[in-house]
Amino acid sequence: MLDPVSRVRRFNRAVTSAVGALDTSFLGRGRPLGAARVLNAIGHGRSDVGEIRDYLGLDSGLMSRLLRSLEDEGLIETQVHEDDARRRVASLTGAGKREFAAYEDLSNSQAEGLLARNSQREVLLAAMDLIASALTRDRIALNEMDPRSDEARHCLAEYYAELGRRFKQGFDVSLSRDPDAKDMRRPRGSFIVAMSDTLPIGCVGLKGTDHGYAEIKRLWVAPSARGLGLGRRLMDNAEEAARSLGIALLRLDTNSALPEAGQLYRTTGWREIPRFNDDPYPDLFFEKRL
Amino acid sequence: MLDPVSRVRRFNRAVTSAVGALDTSFLGRGRPLGAARVLNAIGHGRSDVGEIRDYLGLDSGLMSRLLRSLEDEGLIETQVHEDDARRRVASLTGAGKREFAAYEDLSNSQAEGLLARNSQREVLLAAMDLIASALTRDRIALNEMDPRSDEARHCLAEYYAELGRRFKQGFDVSLSRDPDAKDMRRPRGSFIVAMSDTLPIGCVGLKGTDHGYAEIKRLWVAPSARGLGLGRRLMDNAEEAARSLGIALLRLDTNSALPEAGQLYRTTGWREIPRFNDDPYPDLFFEKRL
DNA sequence: GAATATATCTGACTAAAGTCAGATAATGCT
DNA sequence: AGCATTATCTGACTTTAGTCAGATATATTC
């Protein structure tokens, strides 16, 4: 009753019935679940028939028939793929878009209902983020992105907020040497965002300089995704990006108020060096030769 | 992407695929899910055919056929109910018990696998408890139980541990006036445990005295179940129990280090009175006339 | 004791999901 | 050019789930 496994199983039972309720509301639109799932996959931007089939785990015969039934309803259209005439791409018609929007409304109002019933919204959301990250840890994708993208800006805002909480004196970006976005774009550098499904949960920047080395900046992992080895994966990716840019020497600065970061650097081949800049926040400096 | 509704939906997607994986592993035992669910319901102690049908939401014809197929496999036996010969009760045979145990192993190892892949076990479990309580808030049952039962003892142990954390001077049960279990049993008093599925998530004791009043003791709500209005429900139940025992006056003591408790009492008809005992821990005293 | 209600079962269905063996057409490889 | 491979489709299935109208036996109510 109280052991960890029972607690996980209680959680499973609770969410199974919540998930079942959403399926029931989908059925309320008068279409079998299989067809509804295909329609929603297309609505969410999956156009390639083979991709949808893989994503939903469907047999090709079944997939074909579901597409036909959605076509008969006038909700989708299919065309041959422009690069490969064997493949087909599906898209929503006007009616399909309206129908997809109706499913979206159902999903959204289920989510809103769940939040509205609960007085501790933020606590509940944090718990959901944590669990979603843990369950999908094998599907976390590391993507090179523009440091000005919404995803990157979200990560940076969270990163600054966390420094503000953890540094005794707080943190003010304008006092720090905020890296220029163009230094973290190819060919000078890179910016990598870890995405779990649609949520950015971590980032790292590789900032090119004119001093014969590049710097690692803004390494951040969302609290809900800690303990999954994501920091190390991000650093590995950043080093890989540096190698691909022909960079042979990396440096970074950090603060002893972030002990888990220092620990990570020390165990992955970085060595401590003397201060190499005059930024007021860092008190620890590292270097790694690739 | 970052708004609350998207976060809930990301959680739903993550959990849906984890749940789907368990269903797939159940199918691996070569039996349709419907039959597997009935077998598991019986294994978990639901013997009455009608009860299983309600629990699983099955049509009576379908239910009957699933029972027949499990009987044909030699996994269950059915008998007429001893009090009502229209009803039937199902029970596992030896082979059925082994098969049920195999399903239990699948569920347990899925749960263990989920925990093992994560380094922050306790954080993850706390998040799961919180979500399970929030999702099943409408199904929280308040049961009168023996204060010596496992469920009650679990609640009390958690309650003492929390007092230890929240009182500056810590908390030692042996210094407090620990109520005698028989004073919290009918006909002297009562003890109520809030159960969410199999997990005890709150309690309250009604302790009979010989001084013309009864005392409310050990009001506790699990951290994972706060914000659901459970404290108030427990208190309402305790008052109801007091009325049914013919008790007209209630008293309680509490500590100002537990402000949410004091707040609850003040908004539900309790009025502050002078100290009425010499327990070293409380510093606030209340009374309510029923 | 007769009428009504309840619990389960059986037979006869339908719908949905899934499987599998080709058919067809386009592409990739040598 | 010829052959193997790939993506999709079609036809002919099976299995699973679910529905519904009685049939049967037992309980409850007046």
Side-chain angles (χ1 to χ4, degrees), chain B residues 93-148:
Chain B
T93 62
K97 282 178 188 147
R98 285 191 295 279
E99 193 58 24
F100 170 63
Y103 282 112
E104 286 290 284
D105 284 349
L106 285 174
S107 294
N108 288 339
S109 48
Q110 186 254 12
E112 277 158 14
L114 209 155
L115 286 172
R117 264 180 287 129
N118 210 285
S119 62
Q120 33 179 11
R121 259 173 92 100
E122 264 314 314
V123 180
L124 185 62
L125 282 167
M128 289 182 165
D129 285 348
L130 184 102
I131 289 171
S133 295
L135 290 177
T136 58
R137 63 178 296 176
D138 300 333
R139 276 170 282 165
I140 295 171
L142 270 53
N143 302 328
E144 200 161 310
M145 284 187 169
D146 193 288
R148 293 260 195 248

Short mmCIF file of all heavy atoms in Angstrom, two decimals, chain B residues 93-148:
data_model
loop_
_atom_site.label_atom_id
_atom_site.label_comp_id
_atom_site.label_asym_id
_atom_site.label_seq_id
_atom_site.Cartn_x
_atom_site.Cartn_y
_atom_site.Cartn_z
N THR B 93 -9.01 -19.99 -9.57
CA THR B 93 -8.51 -21.36 -9.32
C THR B 93 -7.00 -21.25 -9.07
O THR B 93 -6.44 -20.16 -9.13
CB THR B 93 -8.73 -22.24 -10.55
OG1 THR B 93 -7.97 -21.68 -11.63
CG2 THR B 93 -10.18 -22.30 -10.95
N GLY B 94 -6.36 -22.37 -8.83
CA GLY B 94 -4.90 -22.36 -8.67
C GLY B 94 -4.22 -21.77 -9.90
O GLY B 94 -3.36 -20.88 -9.79
N ALA B 95 -4.64 -22.27 -11.07
CA ALA B 95 -4.05 -21.75 -12.31
C ALA B 95 -4.35 -20.26 -12.46
O ALA B 95 -3.50 -19.49 -12.92
CB ALA B 95 -4.61 -22.51 -13.51
N GLY B 96 -5.54 -19.85 -12.04
CA GLY B 96 -5.92 -18.44 -12.12
C GLY B 96 -5.02 -17.59 -11.24
O GLY B 96 -4.62 -16.49 -11.62
N LYS B 97 -4.72 -18.11 -10.05
CA LYS B 97 -3.84 -17.36 -9.14
C LYS B 97 -2.46 -17.19 -9.75
O LYS B 97 -1.85 -16.13 -9.64
CB LYS B 97 -3.73 -18.08 -7.79
CG LYS B 97 -4.95 -17.86 -6.92
CD LYS B 97 -4.84 -18.61 -5.61
CE LYS B 97 -6.17 -18.51 -4.85
NZ LYS B 97 -6.46 -19.71 -4.07
N ARG B 98 -1.97 -18.25 -10.40
CA ARG B 98 -0.65 -18.13 -11.04
C ARG B 98 -0.68 -17.11 -12.18
O ARG B 98 0.24 -16.31 -12.34
CB ARG B 98 -0.19 -19.50 -11.56
CG ARG B 98 0.28 -20.43 -10.44
CD ARG B 98 0.98 -21.67 -10.98
NE ARG B 98 0.06 -22.53 -11.74
CZ ARG B 98 -0.79 -23.40 -11.21
NH1 ARG B 98 -0.87 -23.53 -9.88
NH2 ARG B 98 -1.56 -24.14 -11.97
N GLU B 99 -1.76 -17.16 -12.96
CA GLU B 99 -1.86 -16.23 -14.08
C GLU B 99 -1.99 -14.80 -13.58
O GLU B 99 -1.36 -13.88 -14.12
CB GLU B 99 -3.07 -16.62 -14.94
CG GLU B 99 -3.13 -15.95 -16.29
CD GLU B 99 -1.92 -16.23 -17.18
OE1 GLU B 99 -1.23 -17.27 -16.97
OE2 GLU B 99 -1.64 -15.40 -18.05
N PHE B 100 -2.77 -14.61 -12.53
CA PHE B 100 -2.91 -13.28 -11.93
C PHE B 100 -1.56 -12.77 -11.43
O PHE B 100 -1.18 -11.61 -11.64
CB PHE B 100 -3.93 -13.33 -10.80
CG PHE B 100 -3.99 -12.09 -9.97
CD1 PHE B 100 -4.37 -10.87 -10.53
CD2 PHE B 100 -3.66 -12.13 -8.61
CE1 PHE B 100 -4.41 -9.71 -9.76
CE2 PHE B 100 -3.70 -10.97 -7.85
CZ PHE B 100 -4.08 -9.77 -8.42
N ALA B 101 -0.80 -13.69 -10.80
CA ALA B 101 0.52 -13.30 -10.30
C ALA B 101 1.42 -12.85 -11.45
O ALA B 101 2.22 -11.92 -11.30
CB ALA B 101 1.16 -14.47 -9.54
N ALA B 102 1.27 -13.49 -12.61
CA ALA B 102 2.09 -13.10 -13.76
C ALA B 102 1.74 -11.68 -14.21
O ALA B 102 2.63 -10.88 -14.54
CB ALA B 102 1.89 -14.08 -14.91
N TYR B 103 0.45 -11.34 -14.20
CA TYR B 103 0.05 -9.97 -14.53
C TYR B 103 0.59 -8.99 -13.48
O TYR B 103 1.04 -7.89 -13.81
CB TYR B 103 -1.48 -9.84 -14.63
CG TYR B 103 -2.06 -10.36 -15.92
CD1 TYR B 103 -2.85 -11.49 -15.94
CD2 TYR B 103 -1.82 -9.72 -17.13
CE1 TYR B 103 -3.40 -11.98 -17.12
CE2 TYR B 103 -2.35 -10.19 -18.32
CZ TYR B 103 -3.15 -11.32 -18.31
OH TYR B 103 -3.68 -11.79 -19.48
N GLU B 104 0.51 -9.39 -12.22
CA GLU B 104 1.04 -8.53 -11.17
C GLU B 104 2.52 -8.27 -11.39
O GLU B 104 2.99 -7.15 -11.20
CB GLU B 104 0.82 -9.18 -9.79
CG GLU B 104 -0.61 -9.13 -9.31
CD GLU B 104 -1.02 -7.71 -8.95
OE1 GLU B 104 -0.62 -7.21 -7.89
OE2 GLU B 104 -1.75 -7.11 -9.76
N ASP B 105 3.24 -9.32 -11.79
CA ASP B 105 4.68 -9.14 -12.05
C ASP B 105 4.90 -8.12 -13.16
O ASP B 105 5.81 -7.29 -13.08
CB ASP B 105 5.32 -10.47 -12.43
CG ASP B 105 5.53 -11.37 -11.22
OD1 ASP B 105 5.37 -10.87 -10.08
OD2 ASP B 105 5.84 -12.56 -11.40
N LEU B 106 4.08 -8.22 -14.21
CA LEU B 106 4.23 -7.25 -15.30
C LEU B 106 4.00 -5.83 -14.80
O LEU B 106 4.78 -4.92 -15.10
CB LEU B 106 3.23 -7.56 -16.43
CG LEU B 106 3.56 -8.75 -17.32
CD1 LEU B 106 2.42 -9.03 -18.29
CD2 LEU B 106 4.86 -8.51 -18.08
N SER B 107 2.92 -5.63 -14.03
CA SER B 107 2.64 -4.29 -13.50
C SER B 107 3.75 -3.81 -12.59
O SER B 107 4.18 -2.66 -12.68
CB SER B 107 1.33 -4.29 -12.72
OG SER B 107 0.25 -4.55 -13.57
N ASN B 108 4.21 -4.72 -11.72
CA ASN B 108 5.25 -4.31 -10.78
C ASN B 108 6.54 -3.98 -11.50
O ASN B 108 7.22 -3.01 -11.16
CB ASN B 108 5.50 -5.41 -9.75
CG ASN B 108 4.36 -5.53 -8.77
OD1 ASN B 108 3.59 -4.59 -8.59
ND2 ASN B 108 4.23 -6.68 -8.15
N SER B 109 6.89 -4.77 -12.51
CA SER B 109 8.18 -4.47 -13.13
C SER B 109 8.09 -3.23 -14.00
O SER B 109 9.08 -2.50 -14.11
CB SER B 109 8.75 -5.67 -13.87
OG SER B 109 7.80 -6.24 -14.70
N GLN B 110 6.91 -2.96 -14.53
CA GLN B 110 6.77 -1.67 -15.24
C GLN B 110 7.00 -0.52 -14.25
O GLN B 110 7.74 0.41 -14.53
CB GLN B 110 5.38 -1.56 -15.87
CG GLN B 110 5.17 -0.33 -16.74
CD GLN B 110 4.28 0.73 -16.09
OE1 GLN B 110 3.99 0.66 -14.89
NE2 GLN B 110 3.90 1.72 -16.86
N ALA B 111 6.39 -0.63 -13.07
CA ALA B 111 6.55 0.42 -12.05
C ALA B 111 8.00 0.52 -11.60
O ALA B 111 8.56 1.61 -11.48
CB ALA B 111 5.63 0.14 -10.86
N GLU B 112 8.62 -0.63 -11.37
CA GLU B 112 10.02 -0.61 -10.93
C GLU B 112 10.92 -0.02 -12.00
O GLU B 112 11.84 0.75 -11.70
CB GLU B 112 10.49 -2.03 -10.59
CG GLU B 112 10.11 -2.45 -9.19
CD GLU B 112 10.08 -3.97 -9.05
OE1 GLU B 112 10.60 -4.68 -9.94
OE2 GLU B 112 9.50 -4.45 -8.05
N GLY B 113 10.65 -0.39 -13.25
CA GLY B 113 11.46 0.12 -14.35
C GLY B 113 11.39 1.63 -14.41
O GLY B 113 12.40 2.32 -14.60
N LEU B 114 10.19 2.14 -14.19
CA LEU B 114 10.01 3.58 -14.22
C LEU B 114 10.82 4.25 -13.11
O LEU B 114 11.45 5.29 -13.32
CB LEU B 114 8.52 3.84 -14.02
CG LEU B 114 7.93 5.08 -14.62
CD1 LEU B 114 6.45 4.85 -14.86
CD2 LEU B 114 8.14 6.22 -13.67
N LEU B 115 10.82 3.65 -11.95
CA LEU B 115 11.58 4.22 -10.82
C LEU B 115 13.07 4.05 -11.03
O LEU B 115 13.86 4.95 -10.72
CB LEU B 115 11.17 3.54 -9.52
CG LEU B 115 9.81 3.93 -8.97
CD1 LEU B 115 9.45 3.03 -7.79
CD2 LEU B 115 9.81 5.38 -8.53
N ALA B 116 13.47 2.89 -11.55
CA ALA B 116 14.90 2.60 -11.66
C ALA B 116 15.58 3.52 -12.65
O ALA B 116 16.74 3.86 -12.49
CB ALA B 116 15.10 1.15 -12.09
N ARG B 117 14.83 3.96 -13.69
CA ARG B 117 15.45 4.81 -14.69
C ARG B 117 15.67 6.22 -14.18
O ARG B 117 16.25 7.04 -14.85
CB ARG B 117 14.55 4.85 -15.94
CG ARG B 117 14.98 3.85 -16.99
CD ARG B 117 14.08 3.92 -18.21
NE ARG B 117 12.77 3.34 -17.91
CZ ARG B 117 11.62 3.94 -18.14
NH1 ARG B 117 11.58 5.15 -18.64
NH2 ARG B 117 10.49 3.32 -17.87
N ASN B 118 15.17 6.50 -12.98
CA ASN B 118 15.21 7.88 -12.51
C ASN B 118 16.02 8.00 -11.24
O ASN B 118 15.84 7.23 -10.32
CB ASN B 118 13.79 8.36 -12.27
CG ASN B 118 13.70 9.83 -12.49
OD1 ASN B 118 14.15 10.60 -11.65
ND2 ASN B 118 13.19 10.24 -13.64
N SER B 119 16.90 9.01 -11.18
CA SER B 119 17.76 9.10 -10.02
C SER B 119 17.09 9.85 -8.88
O SER B 119 17.52 9.77 -7.74
CB SER B 119 19.07 9.78 -10.39
OG SER B 119 18.81 11.08 -10.83
N GLN B 120 16.02 10.59 -9.17
CA GLN B 120 15.38 11.34 -8.09
C GLN B 120 14.06 10.67 -7.70
O GLN B 120 13.00 11.26 -7.79
CB GLN B 120 15.19 12.81 -8.46
CG GLN B 120 14.93 13.05 -9.93
CD GLN B 120 14.71 14.52 -10.26
OE1 GLN B 120 14.95 15.39 -9.43
NE2 GLN B 120 14.24 14.77 -11.45
N ARG B 121 14.19 9.42 -7.26
CA ARG B 121 13.04 8.60 -6.88
C ARG B 121 12.02 9.27 -6.00
O ARG B 121 10.83 9.24 -6.28
CB ARG B 121 13.56 7.41 -6.07
CG ARG B 121 13.70 6.14 -6.78
CD ARG B 121 14.39 5.18 -5.83
NE ARG B 121 13.40 4.44 -5.05
CZ ARG B 121 13.05 3.19 -5.36
NH1 ARG B 121 13.58 2.58 -6.39
NH2 ARG B 121 12.16 2.55 -4.63
N GLU B 122 12.48 9.86 -4.90
CA GLU B 122 11.52 10.40 -3.93
C GLU B 122 10.77 11.60 -4.51
O GLU B 122 9.57 11.76 -4.27
CB GLU B 122 12.19 10.77 -2.61
CG GLU B 122 12.09 9.68 -1.55
CD GLU B 122 10.66 9.07 -1.42
OE1 GLU B 122 9.67 9.82 -1.35
OE2 GLU B 122 10.55 7.82 -1.38
N VAL B 123 11.47 12.39 -5.29
CA VAL B 123 10.82 13.55 -5.93
C VAL B 123 9.76 13.06 -6.91
O VAL B 123 8.64 13.57 -6.95
CB VAL B 123 11.89 14.40 -6.66
CG1 VAL B 123 11.24 15.59 -7.32
CG2 VAL B 123 12.97 14.83 -5.70
N LEU B 124 10.12 12.03 -7.67
CA LEU B 124 9.19 11.49 -8.65
C LEU B 124 7.97 10.88 -7.96
O LEU B 124 6.83 11.11 -8.37
CB LEU B 124 9.92 10.42 -9.47
CG LEU B 124 9.18 9.79 -10.64
CD1 LEU B 124 8.82 10.83 -11.68
CD2 LEU B 124 10.04 8.70 -11.28
N LEU B 125 8.19 10.13 -6.89
CA LEU B 125 7.07 9.52 -6.17
C LEU B 125 6.16 10.58 -5.57
O LEU B 125 4.93 10.46 -5.61
CB LEU B 125 7.61 8.60 -5.07
CG LEU B 125 8.11 7.25 -5.57
CD1 LEU B 125 8.91 6.55 -4.47
CD2 LEU B 125 6.94 6.38 -6.00
N ALA B 126 6.76 11.63 -5.02
CA ALA B 126 5.94 12.70 -4.43
C ALA B 126 5.08 13.34 -5.51
O ALA B 126 3.90 13.63 -5.29
CB ALA B 126 6.84 13.73 -3.76
N ALA B 127 5.66 13.53 -6.70
CA ALA B 127 4.90 14.12 -7.81
C ALA B 127 3.75 13.20 -8.21
O ALA B 127 2.64 13.65 -8.48
CB ALA B 127 5.83 14.38 -8.99
N MET B 128 4.02 11.91 -8.22
CA MET B 128 2.97 10.95 -8.59
C MET B 128 1.85 10.94 -7.56
O MET B 128 0.67 10.89 -7.92
CB MET B 128 3.56 9.55 -8.72
CG MET B 128 4.43 9.43 -9.94
SD MET B 128 5.05 7.74 -10.10
CE MET B 128 5.62 7.82 -11.79
N ASP B 129 2.20 10.98 -6.29
CA ASP B 129 1.18 11.01 -5.23
C ASP B 129 0.29 12.24 -5.39
O ASP B 129 -0.94 12.16 -5.29
CB ASP B 129 1.84 11.06 -3.84
CG ASP B 129 2.41 9.72 -3.43
OD1 ASP B 129 2.10 8.72 -4.10
OD2 ASP B 129 3.17 9.67 -2.46
N LEU B 130 0.96 13.37 -5.66
CA LEU B 130 0.21 14.62 -5.78
C LEU B 130 -0.78 14.55 -6.93
O LEU B 130 -1.96 14.90 -6.80
CB LEU B 130 1.21 15.75 -6.02
CG LEU B 130 0.59 17.14 -6.08
CD1 LEU B 130 0.83 17.85 -4.76
CD2 LEU B 130 1.14 17.97 -7.20
N ILE B 131 -0.32 14.06 -8.07
CA ILE B 131 -1.18 14.00 -9.24
C ILE B 131 -2.29 12.99 -9.05
O ILE B 131 -3.45 13.25 -9.39
CB ILE B 131 -0.34 13.70 -10.49
CG1 ILE B 131 0.49 14.94 -10.81
CG2 ILE B 131 -1.21 13.32 -11.67
CD1 ILE B 131 1.52 14.74 -11.87
N ALA B 132 -1.95 11.85 -8.48
CA ALA B 132 -2.98 10.84 -8.27
C ALA B 132 -4.06 11.39 -7.34
O ALA B 132 -5.26 11.19 -7.58
CB ALA B 132 -2.36 9.57 -7.68
N SER B 133 -3.67 12.11 -6.30
CA SER B 133 -4.67 12.67 -5.39
C SER B 133 -5.53 13.71 -6.09
O SER B 133 -6.75 13.75 -5.92
CB SER B 133 -4.00 13.30 -4.16
OG SER B 133 -3.36 12.30 -3.40
N ALA B 134 -4.89 14.54 -6.92
CA ALA B 134 -5.65 15.58 -7.62
C ALA B 134 -6.64 14.96 -8.60
O ALA B 134 -7.78 15.41 -8.70
CB ALA B 134 -4.69 16.53 -8.34
N LEU B 135 -6.20 13.93 -9.32
CA LEU B 135 -7.06 13.34 -10.34
C LEU B 135 -8.22 12.55 -9.74
O LEU B 135 -9.26 12.42 -10.35
CB LEU B 135 -6.26 12.41 -11.26
CG LEU B 135 -5.28 13.06 -12.21
CD1 LEU B 135 -4.52 12.01 -13.00
CD2 LEU B 135 -6.01 14.00 -13.16
N THR B 136 -8.00 12.02 -8.55
CA THR B 136 -9.04 11.17 -7.97
C THR B 136 -9.73 11.86 -6.81
O THR B 136 -10.33 11.21 -5.95
CB THR B 136 -8.44 9.83 -7.48
OG1 THR B 136 -7.43 10.12 -6.52
CG2 THR B 136 -7.85 9.04 -8.63
N ARG B 137 -9.66 13.19 -6.76
CA ARG B 137 -10.20 13.89 -5.59
C ARG B 137 -11.67 13.59 -5.36
O ARG B 137 -12.14 13.61 -4.22
CB ARG B 137 -9.98 15.38 -5.70
CG ARG B 137 -10.69 16.02 -6.87
CD ARG B 137 -10.46 17.52 -6.87
NE ARG B 137 -11.04 18.14 -5.70
CZ ARG B 137 -10.93 19.43 -5.41
NH1 ARG B 137 -10.22 20.21 -6.19
NH2 ARG B 137 -11.49 19.93 -4.34
N ASP B 138 -12.41 13.32 -6.44
CA ASP B 138 -13.83 13.02 -6.25
C ASP B 138 -14.06 11.62 -5.71
O ASP B 138 -15.18 11.25 -5.38
CB ASP B 138 -14.58 13.15 -7.59
CG ASP B 138 -14.45 14.56 -8.14
OD1 ASP B 138 -14.28 15.49 -7.35
OD2 ASP B 138 -14.50 14.69 -9.38
N ARG B 139 -13.01 10.82 -5.69
CA ARG B 139 -13.17 9.45 -5.22
C ARG B 139 -12.45 9.20 -3.90
O ARG B 139 -12.15 8.05 -3.56
CB ARG B 139 -12.64 8.48 -6.30
CG ARG B 139 -13.68 8.20 -7.37
CD ARG B 139 -13.07 7.46 -8.54
NE ARG B 139 -12.32 8.38 -9.39
CZ ARG B 139 -11.44 8.03 -10.32
NH1 ARG B 139 -11.18 6.75 -10.51
NH2 ARG B 139 -10.83 8.92 -11.07
N ILE B 140 -12.14 10.27 -3.17
CA ILE B 140 -11.51 10.08 -1.87
C ILE B 140 -12.59 9.62 -0.88
O ILE B 140 -13.62 10.27 -0.74
CB ILE B 140 -10.85 11.38 -1.38
CG1 ILE B 140 -9.69 11.75 -2.31
CG2 ILE B 140 -10.36 11.23 0.05
CD1 ILE B 140 -9.10 13.13 -2.05
N ALA B 141 -12.34 8.49 -0.23
CA ALA B 141 -13.33 7.92 0.69
C ALA B 141 -12.90 8.16 2.12
O ALA B 141 -11.73 7.96 2.47
CB ALA B 141 -13.46 6.43 0.43
N LEU B 142 -13.83 8.61 2.95
CA LEU B 142 -13.53 8.78 4.37
C LEU B 142 -14.12 7.60 5.13
O LEU B 142 -15.35 7.43 5.15
CB LEU B 142 -14.11 10.11 4.87
CG LEU B 142 -13.17 11.31 4.75
CD1 LEU B 142 -12.63 11.48 3.35
CD2 LEU B 142 -13.85 12.58 5.21
N ASN B 143 -13.25 6.80 5.73
CA ASN B 143 -13.71 5.59 6.40
C ASN B 143 -13.40 5.64 7.89
O ASN B 143 -12.29 6.01 8.28
CB ASN B 143 -12.99 4.35 5.84
CG ASN B 143 -13.20 4.21 4.35
OD1 ASN B 143 -14.26 4.58 3.84
ND2 ASN B 143 -12.19 3.70 3.67
N GLU B 144 -14.36 5.23 8.69
CA GLU B 144 -14.07 5.07 10.11
C GLU B 144 -13.23 3.81 10.27
O GLU B 144 -13.58 2.75 9.75
CB GLU B 144 -15.40 4.95 10.88
CG GLU B 144 -15.24 5.26 12.34
CD GLU B 144 -16.59 5.59 13.00
OE1 GLU B 144 -17.33 6.43 12.47
OE2 GLU B 144 -16.87 4.98 14.05
N MET B 145 -12.09 3.93 10.93
CA MET B 145 -11.17 2.80 11.05
C MET B 145 -10.64 2.71 12.46
O MET B 145 -10.65 3.68 13.21
CB MET B 145 -9.98 2.99 10.10
CG MET B 145 -10.31 2.71 8.65
SD MET B 145 -8.78 2.77 7.70
CE MET B 145 -9.37 2.10 6.15
N ASP B 146 -10.08 1.55 12.78
CA ASP B 146 -9.44 1.38 14.07
C ASP B 146 -8.14 2.19 14.11
O ASP B 146 -7.36 2.15 13.15
CB ASP B 146 -9.12 -0.10 14.30
CG ASP B 146 -8.75 -0.35 15.75
OD1 ASP B 146 -7.64 0.07 16.17
OD2 ASP B 146 -9.56 -0.95 16.46
N PRO B 147 -7.91 2.96 15.20
CA PRO B 147 -6.68 3.75 15.27
C PRO B 147 -5.41 2.90 15.31
O PRO B 147 -4.31 3.43 15.20
CB PRO B 147 -6.85 4.56 16.56
CG PRO B 147 -7.95 3.92 17.31
CD PRO B 147 -8.82 3.22 16.32
N ARG B 148 -5.57 1.59 15.45
CA ARG B 148 -4.39 0.71 15.43
C ARG B 148 -4.20 0.04 14.06
O ARG B 148 -3.31 -0.78 13.90
CB ARG B 148 -4.54 -0.40 16.48
CG ARG B 148 -4.52 0.07 17.90
CD ARG B 148 -3.15 -0.15 18.51
NE ARG B 148 -3.22 -0.02 19.95
CZ ARG B 148 -2.64 0.99 20.60
NH1 ARG B 148 -1.99 1.93 19.94
NH2 ARG B 148 -2.72 1.06 21.91
#
